[in-house]
Structures are given as C-alpha cells and as structure tokens.
Amino acid sequence: MKKTIFLLPLLAFCGLFYCISAQDEMKPEDTEVWEPEPVKIDPGESAASPPSDAIILFNGQDMSAFNIPEGTEWVVGNGMVTISPSEEKRETPVVITTKQEFGDIQLHVEWRSPAEVRGEGQRRGNSGIFLQQRYEIQVLDNYNNRTYSNGQAASVYKQQIPLVNACRPPGEWQTYGIIYTAPRFTEAGELESPAYVTVMHNGVLVQNHTEILGPIKFIGYPEYEPHPLKQPLGLQDHGDAVSYRNIWVREL
Ligand code: MG
C-alpha cells in the first residue's frame, strides 16, 4: 500500500514530464490534418457594402486605421491595398494591427490572391485575418491547391477545417463575413468560455459557431493564455502579394 502511495505521484510527475517533452519534440506536420478534404463548390456572385453602423477599417484610400511596423509594406492604390511580396516574409510572417481594439465583432473583409500563380501549398497567396491578433482565419489561394485541410482558406489555422472549399480562382475578389465571440477569462486568468467563430466565405457558411482552441500555434497544440477582452485585429504579411479592400467591422 505504502509503495502505491509513493508510486502514484511519481507516475503522475513522469507523465507530465513526458507530455511536456513530447510537445517540445513535435514537428509542424504533427498538427496538419489532411482528411477529410472539404468538398469544392462554386460560391456564385455576391457583393457587400458597409452598413451605416460599421467602423470602416479600410475604404480603399489609406491604411491609417492600422499600425504598420517597420519592414512590412502595404501599398494602397486602385481602391485596394496590396502586400509587397518578400522572400523574407515568406519565412517569417509579420502581422499588422488595427489601432482600435475589439471584443465581439462582425467583420467584413474582401481579399484577392495574386492572379499570377506562384508556389504551392501554404506558399500560394498566404495571408490571414488575425482575430484579437492571435486567432487566425487563414487566407490562402486554395482554388486548385491542396494543402492540409486545417490550414486551407477559411480554416481556423491548424485547428478547424472549413465545411466546404468556397474559393474563387486567383485574381478574383473573395469575401469573408466573420462573426466572432471573444474568449472570456476569470480574474484569476482561467478560461471561462472559449472564442467562437462563424465564417461565410463568398456568402457560403464554412465555419458554424466553431470553437477556437487557442492562439495560433505552428508547432504543437494551442493553449489559451488570458488577455483583455478588447484586442486589435490583425492582417498577416506572409510575403505573398495578397490584396485587401472594403474592410469594416461592427462591435457586438
Ligand atoms: Mg496565413
């Protein structure tokens, strides 16, 4: 009996140590999910102009609603903003953030991957919408480009697979309609309720009140860390010449 009492905590300790070291030894591929592959559909035509109570983040004129750090270039012209392509950012992406901070929101974003197809998998028209600057809704050219399902366009990156693949061809404008509920944390920093997201891709439901499992994690499994209710929105520069226009948000 005495032996068991001694052994149990030891086993628990070893188990914990094993879990931590297993996470340390993980590779990016370990959290890629390839099956099932979302069925490809045709999203049809659609357009959206901002409602009267929307906060306009980008109306085609200037990027003054965003903080743009050194070393990333967002070029405004012809009613859109386009990321300057960069080999460096293909290796080390950078996220620009809004000056205003948001909690629960409805977000409208229009994006376009470069008409000239270059690269494959995650290296083709990669960008991203960063909810609260840490939860990524993937932007990627997946019109004819297979990658891991939980990393394709409209996935919660490395977490949740979209219901279908509603991508338009590269060079065409696409919309994301996003309804986001921020996570809640107790004063002690414990997770009270996770974040949830609903996404319409080109008007098609692709994430239906989907639970977000934690901040984006390229290697290993996500884990929540407490943060204030309101946080900036972000857009990812992953080195590809992705364009954006007509970005607006409504606080809920
Ligand atoms: Mg991305």
Side-chain angles (χ1 to χ4, degrees), residues 122 126-130 136-140 157 216 236 238:
Q122 293 290 316
N126 196 334
S127 182
I129 316 295
F130 275 62
E136 183 182 12
I137 304 301
Q138 176 70 305
V139 169
L140 195 71
Y157 183 70
I216 174 181
Q236 185 187 50
H238 213 314

Side-chain angles (χ1 to χ4, degrees), residues 7-29:
L7 274 175
L8 276 177
L10 184 69
L11 281 172
F13 176 77
C14 290
L16 180 70
F17 183 75
Y18 176 77
C19 282
I20 292 168
S21 52
Q23 176 105 335
D24 282 347
E25 285 163 16
M26 286 181 77
K27 299 184 188 70
E29 309 87 89

Side-chain angles (χ1 to χ4, degrees), residues 15-82:
L16 180 70
F17 183 75
Y18 176 77
C19 282
I20 292 168
S21 52
Q23 176 105 335
D24 282 347
E25 285 163 16
M26 286 181 77
K27 299 184 188 70
E29 309 87 89
D30 293 338
T31 47
E32 294 175 2
V33 179
W34 288 74
E35 297 299 336
E37 180 183 3
V39 174
K40 201 169 177 175
I41 58 138
D42 180 353
E45 299 288 321
S46 78
S49 48
S52 56
D53 63 348
I55 298 162
I56 310 295
L57 295 176
F58 178 63
N59 66 357
Q61 302 300 311
D62 67 80
M63 287 289 279
S64 57
F66 289 83
N67 288 313
I68 300 182
E70 292 267 315
T72 173
E73 207 185 349
W74 295 65
V75 182
V76 177
N78 299 323
M80 69 183 104
V81 63
T82 302

Side-chain angles (χ1 to χ4, degrees), residues 109-176:
V109 176
E110 295 176 24
W111 59 273
R112 190 179 74 173
S113 42
E116 190 190 326
V117 171
R118 172 175 175 245
E120 57 186 43
Q122 293 290 316
R123 297 293 183 106
R124 187 182 294 184
N126 196 334
S127 182
I129 316 295
F130 275 62
L131 300 164
Q132 304 210 293
Q133 64 184 343
R134 43 168 74 65
Y135 311 110
E136 183 182 12
I137 304 301
Q138 176 70 305
V139 169
L140 195 71
D141 171 12
N142 283 118
Y143 183 70
N144 218 340
N145 178 34
R146 182 81 170 112
T147 184
Y148 39 95
S149 303
N150 65 346
Q152 72 177 58
S155 64
V156 178
Y157 183 70
K158 277 289 186 89
Q159 296 182 22
Q160 305 283 17
I161 302 171
L163 294 168
V164 291
N165 177 351
C167 279
R168 294 188 199 283
E172 287 191 21
W173 285 100
Q174 315 206 35
T175 62
Y176 277 168

